[in-house]
Every structure is written in C-alpha cells, then in structure tokens.
Amino acid sequence: MKRISFDDIVNAVGEMCIDANLHLSQDMENKIRTAKGTEKCALGSMVLNQLVQNLEIAGEDRIPICQDTGMAVFFVEVGQDVTIDGNLTEAINEGVRKGYTEGYLRKSVVSDPLIRENTKDNTPAIIHYDIVPGDELKITIAPKGFGSENMSRLVMLKPADGVEGVKKVVLDTVAAAGPNACPPFVVGVGIGGDFELVAKLAKKALTRNTDERSKLPHIKAFEDELLESINALGIGPAGLGGSNTALAVNIETYPTHIAGLPVAVNMCCHVNRHKTVVL
C-alpha cells in the first residue's frame, strides 16, 4: 500500500494552479501557432499574432495568460492501493488556496451563488473522483474561465434526433457563443450517460490532448466533421471573421438509456488550460 502525504498533495496542487495559469500545454500552443500561419483573414491573423505574443509574454514575465484565472476544476484518479495521510479533498483545496495566493492569481469564487461574497482564496474547487486500479494518485487541473463557461449548453435530445440532432446542438451553441467565448475555441462535447454525467464528459473532453483523436472511428469522424463545420461558420479569432473559429473538437461518450440522447457542449476559449501530475 502506497502512502501519500497531505503536504505532498498540497504542494503539488499549488504548483499546478500556478503553472497551468502561466503556460498552455504544448499541443494548445502549437494549435494557436498553426492557426496563425493558416488564417487568411487579415483581422483574424492579427488577433492570432497577438495571442502568440501574449503566450510568450506570460511565460517570460510569469504572469497569467488570461486575467480570468478560472474556477479550479479537478479530475482525480485514486489508485485502489493508495492511502492518503489526511483528507484528500481538504488537501486539494489547501493546494488551491496556496497556489492562487502565492501565485497572485485572481480569486473568482463566491461562497454562495446568490449572496455573492468572495471566498478570497478561490476555494472550494470542483473535484471529480474516480477509483482506479494501481498505486498512483493522478490529479488533473483545468482552471475554467467563465466567459466561455457561460456560453455552454446541455440538451436532452430524443433518440430519434440522432447524429444530426447532436450536430445541430453543437453548431447552434458555437454560433450563439460567437465572440463572447473568446474564439478560437476548443469545443468539448459529451454524448450519452444521463443529465449530470454528460456535462462531466464534456468538461473532461477539454482536458484531452488536442492532437489525440477519439479511439472510436465513428466518433473520430464526427469530431473532424464538426470541426470543419464550425470553422465554416466564419466567426474567426475574437469573432472578427476568419477560418479559425475552433482549434479542436473533442468528444467523449458513455452508454445511455434507450429513451434518451443527452448532449452537452462545454465551450472553452483559446486559453484551454490543464495540467496533470502523478504522485
């Protein structure tokens, strides 16, 4: 049985919070640079050039890529042969508190959705747990800004709506988001499960490397089709027009009930932040 200390988790999470907000993953940076080289719209090309410069400044000067440093969302895989010295949820929240305070990151969480009093340390985090085989603790952080989060959508379709119904939900959601979700987007799509799981699927899809396509051939083809259709909308970088409205479409699926076809679309701006550590 592997033992992991409370402090090791706190320190790892604190560092993740800072690093994820200062540096995009290499696949995301590559996608933005590639888009800059292919965009033919003058305004769109200008925006993409500014985004590349912004990434460079953030890394060199150690300042956040975006002023909205997000609500801290975690996907945590807990090995069955792992023992935590202390409460894991408390350790993760203490790590968020440490990272957002020491990293001078904006605190954006309010303690009550109606009273709206800021917690002043960006806690509590949103944490999704999975129990898996093995003796490792795998923690993925995805700081989520709400400019794009607010433009996300969940729809309970009928099975008869089929693939075309799903496609319509995705395209309508992206079109409605327009410039408000800070394109170029990464679009996370969940299909299946039930009301609450489909939203989790869409969120988790955003943490997948954008160079990795679905292992299911029909879903991979659907990702490619949706990406092409989204970019044909002409929204473009910052909503100023162009062919790079989305950088990637990632789809996650799960078995569902015979009477349902849940679909969730989690919009994410070009600052699609995520980082993983294994303890």
Side-chain angles (χ1 to χ4, degrees):
M1 186 70 70
K2 181 178 181 180
R3 302 188 71 88
I4 301 176
S5 76
F6 185 94
D7 288 344
D8 284 348
I9 297 168
V10 171
N11 291 330
V13 169
E15 291 175 4
M16 291 171 70
C17 290
I18 296 172
D19 193 53
N21 274 292
L22 304 187
H23 307 282
L24 280 188
S25 58
Q26 193 60 55
D27 64 299
M28 280 301 304
E29 183 174 341
N30 290 344
K31 282 284 190 295
I32 294 172
R33 291 184 181 276
T34 298
K36 183 172 83 77
T38 61
E39 183 57 64
K40 295 180 180 178
C41 172
L43 283 175
S45 181
M46 179 188 70
V47 170
L48 290 166
N49 187 59
Q50 290 174 340
L51 296 184
V52 170
Q53 291 176 356
N54 184 62
L55 291 178
E56 293 171 348
I57 293 169
E60 292 170 3
D61 295 349
R62 292 189 61 78
I63 56 178
I65 306 166
C66 177
Q67 82 281 357
D68 184 350
T69 53
M71 192 168 190
V73 180
F74 290 87
F75 293 92
V76 182
E77 295 181 8
V78 185
Q80 291 174 321
D81 299 320
V82 168
T83 297
I84 308 297
D85 290 335
N87 184 290
L88 180 54
T89 298
E90 289 181 4
I92 291 173
N93 277 313
E94 184 59 32
V96 171
R97 189 173 293 113
K98 176 182 174 67
Y100 274 77
T101 300
E102 294 181 358
Y104 301 99
L105 306 175
R106 195 181 85 182
K107 289 81 173 175
S108 302
V109 175
V110 294
S111 58
D112 184 284
L114 299 181
I115 297 175
R116 313 297 293 183
E117 182 179 352
N118 198 297
T119 64
K120 298 181 175 60
D121 59 12
N122 222 55
T123 66
I126 294 175
I127 310 171
H128 303 286
Y129 289 110
D130 284 306
I131 306 299
V132 299
D135 64 352
E136 294 181 337
L137 177 65
K138 182 178 180 181
I139 305 174
T140 297
I141 185 175
K144 192 65 167 65
F146 264 56
S148 57
E149 188 78 354
N150 285 339
M151 304 308 297
S152 301
R153 189 179 178 203
L154 191 158
V155 180
M156 302 299 288
L157 295 178
K158 301 182 294 296
D161 292 321
V163 174
E164 288 304 312
V166 175
K167 182 176 180 180
K168 185 176 188 304
V169 169
V170 175
L171 294 181
D172 286 352
T173 302
V174 172
N180 296 317
C182 301
F185 313 120
V186 176
V187 183
V189 181
I191 307 173
D194 62 358
F195 182 83
E196 78 273 7
L197 179 59
V198 73
K200 179 182 173 182
L201 291 173
K203 177 77 60 151
K204 191 171 184 180
L206 293 173
T207 68
R208 193 175 86 208
N209 188 307
T210 54
D211 292 327
E212 295 178 9
R213 313 316 306 148
S214 173
K215 293 180 174 60
L216 301 173
H218 69 294
I219 298 300
K220 177 183 180 298
F222 196 24
E223 289 175 338
D224 294 339
E225 178 186 351
L226 285 171
L227 181 60
E228 182 177 352
S229 297
I230 289 170
N231 284 331
L233 294 174
I235 296 170
L240 298 176
S243 57
N244 287 282
T245 297
L247 300 172
V249 176
N250 286 356
I251 300 175
E252 295 293 329
T253 66
Y254 195 85
T256 192
H257 191 278
I258 57 172
L261 180 57
V263 180
V265 183
N266 199 191
M267 300 297 299
C268 191
C269 64
H270 65 279
V271 185
N272 179 29
R273 298 162 289 197
H274 49 84
K275 184 176 178 61
T276 299
V277 297
V278 178
L279 301 176

